[in-house]
Amino acid sequence: MKVVEKKKIWFGLSIAIIVVGLIMGMIQGFNLGIDFTGGTMMQIDLKKQVSVNEINEVIKKFDLDGDILHVGENKHEIIIKTKKDLNSGERQKVFEALQKKYNLKDEDFREAEQFGPSIGKEIQKKAFLSVAIAAIGMLIYITFRFEFKFGASAIITLLHDILVVLAVFAIFRIPINSSFVAAMLTIVGYSINDTIVVFDRIRENIRFMKKKNYDEIVDISVNQTLTRSINTSLTTLITITALYVFGVESIKVFALPLIAGTITGTYSSIFIASPIWALWKNWELRKGRYNAG
Amino acid sequence: MKFKNAIVLLLIIAIATVGAIAGIKGLEIGNVKISPVKEMMTLGLDLKGGVFVVFEAQTDASGKELDKIMNQTKEVIERRVNAMGLTEPNVLREGSKRIRIELPGVKNAQEAIDAVGKVAQLQFKNYKGEVILTGKHVKNAEVVFEKDRGNVPSVSLEFDSEGAELFQKATKEAASHPRGSIESIIAIVLDGKAISTPVVNHEIPNGKAVIQGNFTMDEASQLAALIRAGALPVTLTEVQTSVIGPTLGIDSLNKSIYAAGIGIAIVFLFMMIYYRLPGLVASIALVIYILIVLYVLIGFGAVLTLPGIAGLILSIGMAVDANVIIFERIKEEIRNGKTLRASLNSGFSKALTTILDSNITTIIAGIVLYQFGSGPIKGFAVTLIVGVVASMFTAVIVTKTLLKLFVGLNIFNNTKLYGA
């Protein structure tokens, strides 16, 4: 497989996804979960499938302006999400309205969550800060073990992964919540791991390199590690997909960004990271020749 | 040599098998009893059900003053929570102005939140509505029966020295006004509601006051308890709550375990089909990996939450990585024409630097996340670090030992068995 030769395709594809995602994100806004915007989530077991319209009718008087989702086996459960900040008394009233109508027991109120808007901002800030610091730490380590250009390429790849996953979430309007942040952080770990394996091979192969053909080195190295990249992402995807398929609602929201991230991480470690490095090396080479001449 | 290899090999496989059974079902040999992992692990609220609330203090105080207020508030809340008699409740300060309260097993969120977060803000106000002193100056509160009022229950209060001084000054002021006039009243306000508006007849120097109202015995003792348990020094607002029904918690745990089981089974199958004998070895190593991670987490007293489970299950998929790197290297070496033993050795040593470099970068990320993250992110980082270290150990030590033992048996020497 010739990876570097077609780098314009890979870079173009990634940039296209990121640009489309960010534009859509800017136009219609990211679908931020209630833990970022503030609001309330309630999960109630109705014991039978009830249409959204009917539920809206029952809770109309609370003026929640919320989303209603059907979840669980047989879609007997509903999740009501609203940007309104309901305290426990107000939540109880909403539940009681449904309880009366559908003759529910107290324990059918499965779950409730409420967030003030300030919480989400803090999570966001902290996550952003920790990723930035983690990136610096990894850059230092890679520079020490390899060279700065490898480190910088790895960090650019990381940024790429985060932007692509964000873009995918923006395009498909998938809610971004605090588990998303935790998932992003895992992706950071996964993707860097994946990238380093390829870099490691490049470092090893450079020793046998006759003339300075970085494109060829990257192609050889990527191909040598390709089976490993694919197999590892397969096993990772298998476990996380099992969680998505068989898990409960609150773990699904977590598994989804992980799936997106694993795919992106694998893609970028093959098609983005080392071509960036090769590009940089070649540019340096040309610059050197020009200076010499 | 062959015989010894076989014994050691069987021993390792037996240990892994027994470990797995003990982990799933528990084990009892003589006096030694091992509980299943599920029971030994501390489960987070999202898995066992319960209520957690995060309150934020409404105050402009900062620095030491804020710290003092928050610690006082935490103490008050702790006392209230302890009075509820739950197992393992948790009251934590979070950030600078927040307090997080976890109440496992609580079914009625409303009652629990009310009982804990009830902002019993006791204030004494003069006729202008100015606060003279607050509940933080109250040393003691108890129910008394005043004979001259026909033994109706009232609540007597005792102030600390600062409170006594403030109260003396205020009562002196109030008593100077004509008896019965509005200026002579000092209102006792609880949570913004006047519960008693006594007229002050004379200066009270001893730091004692009585709240008189038309209380029943129950109401009076409840009020006294509330004040005793400490009026909160600040107003708290509920910024985040989460109520997880007990059935959902168990559901989440069981479904996650089920999902993990299926995921792991498919990974085993994949590894064995693709890598043959090494795949089998990797599967055994993976069982040992899972056991190590679970018991280390138990040892750390880690709290297992839903995102934690997700991280754990993901890490199982990722833990195969080191094995895959090694096996691919061995295959390459075999293809290059080396003997099986030589391929094994050089495959391992070449894979080692890759495994170290890639995992150390991940560990760096994990340490940073632990340092700067909060809440679920911190827990996530712990799982990540433990997982990476355990996977390196099992891949490098366990896989290598097992593979060498298999090769030493001399009956598994066909390179086809190694997927090459």
Side-chain angles (χ1 to χ4, degrees):
Chain A
M1 188 167 59
K2 297 227 188 286
V3 174
V4 183
E5 200 178 280
K6 296 194 175 123
K7 59 177 178 273
K8 279 183 188 153
I9 299 178
W10 320 131
F11 290 173
L13 183 67
S14 291
I15 291 169
I17 294 175
I18 293 170
V19 169
V20 170
L22 293 187
I23 288 175
M24 286 184 78
M26 270 185 273
I27 294 172
Q28 51 184 1
F30 287 94
N31 186 2
L32 291 178
I34 51 163
D35 37 0
F36 281 139
T37 58
T40 311
M41 185 279 274
M42 285 173 277
Q43 187 172 343
I44 298 163
D45 191 352
L46 294 180
K47 304 280 178 211
K48 61 176 180 183
Q49 196 170 345
V50 181
S51 77
V52 170
N53 284 340
E54 195 183 322
I55 296 161
N56 269 327
E57 201 54 39
V58 180
I59 58 172
K60 199 169 61 185
K61 59 181 166 191
F62 300 107
D63 200 18
L64 295 178
D65 186 29
D67 293 330
I68 295 174
L69 308 169
H70 286 98
V71 295
E73 274 165 80
N74 312 319
K75 305 283 173 203
H76 284 180
E77 290 175 35
I78 52 159
I79 288 180
I80 304 172
K81 273 186 190 168
T82 165
K83 299 250 154 91
K84 292 214 167 130
D85 204 349
L86 304 182
N87 66 31
S88 54
E90 292 162 327
R91 291 197 302 264
Q92 194 60 34
K93 283 202 188 98
V94 175
F95 175 66
E96 274 161 14
L98 289 161
Q99 189 175 28
K100 226 167 84 190
K101 168 98 185 176
Y102 299 109
N103 197 15
L104 304 175
K105 292 190 197 109
D106 278 346
E107 58 260 35
D108 294 332
F109 197 169
R110 302 263 275 173
E111 189 179 3
E113 267 184 291
Q114 167 264 333
F115 295 89
S118 55
I119 295 264
K121 284 212 187 77
E122 252 184 52
I123 296 173
Q124 245 170 329
K125 221 170 75 189
K126 273 204 164 159
F128 186 75
L129 185 75
S130 31
V131 171
I133 297 170
I136 294 169
M138 293 187 284
L139 186 63
I140 292 171
Y141 179 78
I142 301 169
T143 305
F144 173 69
R145 289 283 298 160
F146 296 78
E147 61 168 345
F148 177 74
K149 288 187 196 72
F150 277 118
S153 306
I155 301 303
I156 295 169
T157 308
L158 215 61
L159 199 66
H160 160 272
D161 295 342
I162 292 176
L163 288 176
V164 168
V165 176
L166 257 175
V168 170
F169 273 59
I171 291 168
F172 294 104
R173 301 279 301 150
I174 304 167
I176 292 171
N177 50 25
S178 52
S179 345
F180 177 84
V181 173
M184 276 296 200
L185 300 174
T186 322
I187 294 163
V188 169
Y190 178 82
S191 167
I192 203 90
N193 192 304
D194 227 16
T195 305
I196 294 295
V197 174
V198 184
F199 282 178
D200 198 76
R201 223 5 135 61
I202 295 175
R203 179 176 61 180
E204 190 185 315
N205 287 334
I206 284 179
R207 281 185 280 147
F208 309 112
M209 190 167 75
K210 292 203 181 71
K211 55 180 178 23
K212 290 192 168 164
N213 190 340
Y214 293 109
D215 291 1
E216 199 182 300
I217 282 288
V218 166
D219 278 350
I220 292 170
S221 309
V222 166
N223 279 300
Q224 280 172 339
T225 50
L226 195 61
T227 322
R228 171 265 158 194
S229 295
I230 292 171
N231 284 357
T232 299
S233 65
L234 261 182
T235 54
T236 310
L237 277 176
I238 287 170
T239 50
I240 203 69
T241 308
L243 207 55
Y244 183 77
V245 175
F246 301 109
V248 290
E249 209 54 37
S250 39
I251 211 160
K252 279 184 197 222
V253 295
F254 198 81
L256 201 61
L258 284 177
I259 292 172
T262 308
I263 296 169
T264 313
T266 309
Y267 173 83
S268 69
S269 73
I270 297 171
F271 298 103
I272 303 290
S274 7
I276 289 180
W277 176 82
L279 200 68
W280 198 339
K281 284 298 232 187
N282 283 330
W283 175 76
E284 195 187 44
L285 205 64
R286 277 200 304 275
K287 200 179 67 170
R289 276 192 199 132
Y290 179 75
N291 286 344
Chain B
M1 188 62 196
K2 257 202 218 172
F3 184 65
K4 203 178 135 200
N5 271 7
I7 298 277
V8 178
L9 198 56
L10 285 175
L11 206 66
I12 295 177
I13 294 174
I15 290 172
T17 314
V18 172
I21 293 170
I24 297 167
K25 301 221 158 162
L27 201 65
E28 212 173 336
I29 307 167
N31 291 328
V32 188
K33 187 172 178 283
I34 304 171
S35 309
V37 167
K38 208 168 133 181
E39 283 166 29
M40 281 162 82
M41 196 68 105
T42 317
L43 300 180
L45 277 185
D46 51 354
L47 292 174
K48 67 180 156 194
V51 177
F52 86 72
V53 197
V54 179
F55 286 116
E56 189 170 72
Q58 300 302 304
T59 168
D60 293 326
S62 63
K64 267 196 179 151
E65 173 68 17
L66 177 66
D67 206 50
K68 195 180 141 204
I69 293 175
M70 292 311 289
N71 283 336
Q72 263 176 10
T73 310
K74 183 174 170 243
E75 264 175 51
V76 172
I77 291 178
E78 263 171 352
R79 256 179 278 158
R80 293 182 187 175
V81 168
N82 289 339
M84 295 167 78
L86 303 167
T87 45
E88 298 180 56
N90 229 337
V91 182
L92 306 158
R93 278 189 61 182
E94 206 176 71
S96 55
K97 281 188 182 177
R98 296 209 181 109
I99 289 183
R100 180 191 183 94
I101 304 151
E102 299 184 333
L103 308 169
V106 166
K107 284 195 187 103
N108 193 327
Q110 175 67 58
E111 265 171 35
I113 293 169
D114 279 354
V116 176
K118 176 114 187 168
V119 191
Q121 269 222 314
L122 187 67
Q123 293 169 323
F124 291 76
K125 289 184 176 170
N126 66 14
Y127 71 97
K128 285 186 234 158
E130 293 165 341
V131 177
I132 301 158
L133 58 125
T134 67
K136 74 173 175 183
H137 295 298
V138 175
K139 228 165 64 181
N140 196 15
E142 55 192 8
V143 180
V144 288
F145 300 95
E146 292 168 293
K147 283 197 187 94
D148 52 337
R149 286 187 71 231
N151 278 337
V152 188
S154 305
V155 177
S156 83
L157 300 176
E158 199 186 329
F159 301 121
D160 62 9
S161 56
E162 198 191 336
E165 221 173 280
L166 290 168
F167 196 60
Q168 182 178 6
K169 227 176 90 191
T171 46
K172 187 177 173 190
E173 220 277 317
S176 70
H177 293 285
R179 189 182 283 204
S181 70
I182 184 157
E183 288 92 345
S184 69
I185 290 174
I186 290 184
I188 302 168
V189 180
L190 189 70
D191 290 344
K193 218 166 74 191
I195 47 169
S196 177
T197 47
V199 170
V200 178
N201 298 330
H202 43 78
E203 180 184 342
I204 303 173
N206 58 357
K208 284 191 169 145
V210 174
I211 306 175
Q212 295 170 336
N214 291 318
F215 302 125
T216 65
M217 182 60 207
D218 272 356
E219 283 166 354
S221 47
Q222 228 172 39
L223 181 61
L226 202 60
I227 295 169
R228 248 200 327 269
L232 292 170
V234 282
T235 312
L236 296 176
T237 48
E238 197 182 317
V239 288
Q240 185 185 356
T241 34
S242 176
V243 184
I244 290 119
T247 50
L248 181 67
I250 296 164
D251 240 34
S252 304
L253 184 62
N254 288 339
K255 280 195 176 161
S256 307
I257 293 173
Y258 179 68
I262 290 178
I264 294 166
I266 301 175
V267 169
F268 281 2
L269 216 62
F270 171 80
M271 290 298 283
M272 285 192 264
I273 292 170
Y274 197 93
Y275 290 107
R276 319 280 164 85
L277 186 70
L280 173 72
V281 167
S283 301
I284 299 168
L286 208 54
V287 171
I288 295 173
Y289 162 81
I290 295 167
L291 289 173
I292 291 176
V293 170
L294 288 178
Y295 286 110
V296 167
L297 287 181
I298 290 171
F300 279 175
V303 178
L304 195 66
T305 58
L306 265 185
I309 290 184
L312 212 60
I313 294 175
L314 183 77
S315 86
I316 294 168
M318 285 169 74
V320 181
D321 183 51
N323 286 293
V324 170
I325 292 174
I326 294 167
F327 300 160
E328 286 296 329
R329 274 292 188 170
I330 293 174
K331 265 162 65 174
E332 270 177 55
E333 301 294 310
I334 292 174
R335 279 193 217 118
N336 286 343
K338 286 192 185 164
T339 65
L340 192 55
R341 273 166 215 267
S343 302
L344 219 61
N345 282 326
S346 60
F348 262 104
S349 63
K350 280 186 178 169
L352 194 63
T353 51
T354 314
I355 293 170
L356 279 178
D357 278 334
S358 61
N359 284 327
I360 288 173
T361 28
T362 311
I363 291 176
I364 290 174
I367 291 171
V368 171
L369 295 187
Y370 183 79
Q371 271 301 318
F372 298 94
S374 63
I377 294 172
K378 238 188 173 73
F380 210 70
V382 174
T383 328
L384 188 70
I385 296 169
V386 172
V388 170
V389 174
S391 85
M392 275 201 283
F393 168 78
T394 46
V396 177
I397 310 283
V398 179
T399 306
K400 191 174 177 179
T401 311
L402 283 172
L403 266 185
K404 286 202 155 167
L405 288 171
F406 268 114
V407 174
L409 286 179
N410 274 334
I411 45 173
F412 299 111
N413 287 351
N414 189 336
T415 52
K416 280 218 171 67
L417 281 170
Y418 296 80

